[in-house]
Each structure stands twice: as structure tokens, then as C-alpha cells.
Amino acid sequence: MSGLVLPPGGGRQLTGPAQHVTFKITGARSTVGSLFEVVVPVGFDVGAHRHTRSEEFFYVLDGEVDLFAFEPVVRTAGDWSDWRSADGETVRRGTRGALIHIPPGCPHGFANAGHTPARLLFQAAPPPDHERYFEELLALLADGPPVAPEAVEELRRRYDIEQLTPLKPGVPLPETPLPETPLPETPLPPG
């Protein structure tokens, strides 16, 4: 058995106007989780949602996204940007290095409210539901807006995603993947 070493940009890529997704680790390799790099266009809002089985992590590599992961006091139907939890938690702006953890059952969402596309590293467990979901979502959004909200809701229902507010596709991305912004190198300690 061998491990896996991927070069920058490595992995199977799905590109479309709604998102660019690079599958880094899939259920074919791991029973623990799937790992993706996702380019999120300006104005994209995944919509508030929750999963009964899935656990997720999002790590911001580039750009800015608004994030939340809590049960709100009041769920408004169209927009989650002003949601608050009973203990005062609010939506936060995540920049490079921000991390969000979502346990099963926890309402959550992210939106790119910035001026440039954002890049996220995204882990979902157990695999392979999110892999299949991304494949079908990008196919559904391939022609760009408008997208029938009922089609997105039906897709999400099949993949353990309870839709709380609608998905908003945002500004279409170019068909070719965006170049990666290199992270600053940190020397390893001697040892």
C-alpha cells in the first residue's frame, strides 16, 4: 500500500461558472473523509443548510467568506446574514487561515461577500456523498443563473442536505481554473 502525494493543482477538477472543485481525496482512497479545494465566486451563497450525518470542515485558503455554524434564535427564510445564536454567536468574516467546523445537525453556511473569488479547503465525512453532490450540482449550475430552486432543493435532499435558505450562484467564474496563490513558506524546525 502507498500513500498519496499530490502536486499543487493536483486532483480531479470539475470546473463550471458556479464553482471550481478539485477532488484531492475521495472515498475511493479514504473511508474517513473526502477532501476538496473549492473556488467560490463573488456573490456565491451556499445557502444555510444542515446535514443529519455529515461532519464538515472549511479552511479559507484565499479571499474572504462570511461563515456561520450555529442554531439561530430565529431562522429567516431568505437570508442568514443577520442570524444570531441564543448565546450571542453571529456570522463572521473568514479570511485566509480561518477554519469552521460543522458537526452533524448544525445549521451552517458560507457566502463570498468579497471582491475576488475565494478558495476553500473543504473536508466532508463520511465519503462519498459530497463528491457525488458536487458532480451533480456543477452539472445543474453549468449554464449559470437562473437555476430552479426546486431542482437544487431536490438534489440536496438526496444528499442529506436540509435547505434552510436558497443557494445563490454569484458571478460566473471563467471555465479554466484560476491560478493558485502560493502560501508563504514556513521553514521547518531543525530536527
Side-chain angles (χ1 to χ4, degrees):
M1 172 174 267
S2 296
L4 174 69
V5 177
L6 285 177
R12 185 168 67 94
Q13 296 183 348
L14 298 177
T15 59
Q19 287 184 335
H20 295 173
V21 177
T22 304
F23 295 129
K24 300 293 187 177
I25 303 289
T26 66
R29 176 162 282 281
S30 173
T31 60
V32 176
S34 301
L35 188 67
F36 316 96
E37 184 175 315
V38 180
V39 177
V40 181
V42 172
F44 180 87
D45 178 351
V46 72
H49 62 283
R50 68 180 178 175
H51 316 277
T52 57
R53 298 183 309 272
S54 294
E55 179 176 17
E56 298 175 313
F57 296 89
F58 303 141
Y59 183 82
V60 180
L61 297 169
D62 281 315
E64 298 181 346
V65 289
D66 290 341
L67 309 160
F68 87 95
F70 55 78
E71 181 64 54
V73 174
V74 176
R75 290 185 188 175
T76 53
D79 182 22
W80 52 265
S81 63
D82 291 327
W83 285 8
R84 295 187 179 288
S85 72
D87 62 355
E89 188 73 24
T90 61
V91 172
R92 296 185 187 182
R93 176 70 45 99
T95 58
R96 181 185 278 197
L99 172 76
I100 180 175
H101 168 244
I102 302 107
C106 181
H108 60 284
F110 66 87
N112 185 347
H115 301 290
T116 61
R119 256 183 345 119
L120 304 176
L121 190 61
F122 171 65
Q123 181 182 9
D129 279 2
H130 270 74
E131 298 160 36
R132 293 180 183 139
Y133 167 72
F134 274 128
E135 290 169 341
E136 291 187 43
L137 178 65
L138 265 63
L140 186 64
L141 301 174
D143 295 329
V147 176
E150 304 81 29
V152 174
E153 286 181 34
E154 191 279 324
L155 171 66
R156 288 184 159 191
R157 249 191 310 278
R158 287 190 288 118
Y159 289 104
D160 184 38
I161 303 170
E162 178 188 354
Q163 190 73 38
L164 305 174
T165 66
L167 178 143
K168 299 171 187 166
V171 177
L173 291 167
E175 282 296 317
T176 56
L178 298 171
E180 292 186 16
T181 304
L183 295 173
E185 291 199 24
T186 305
L188 295 174

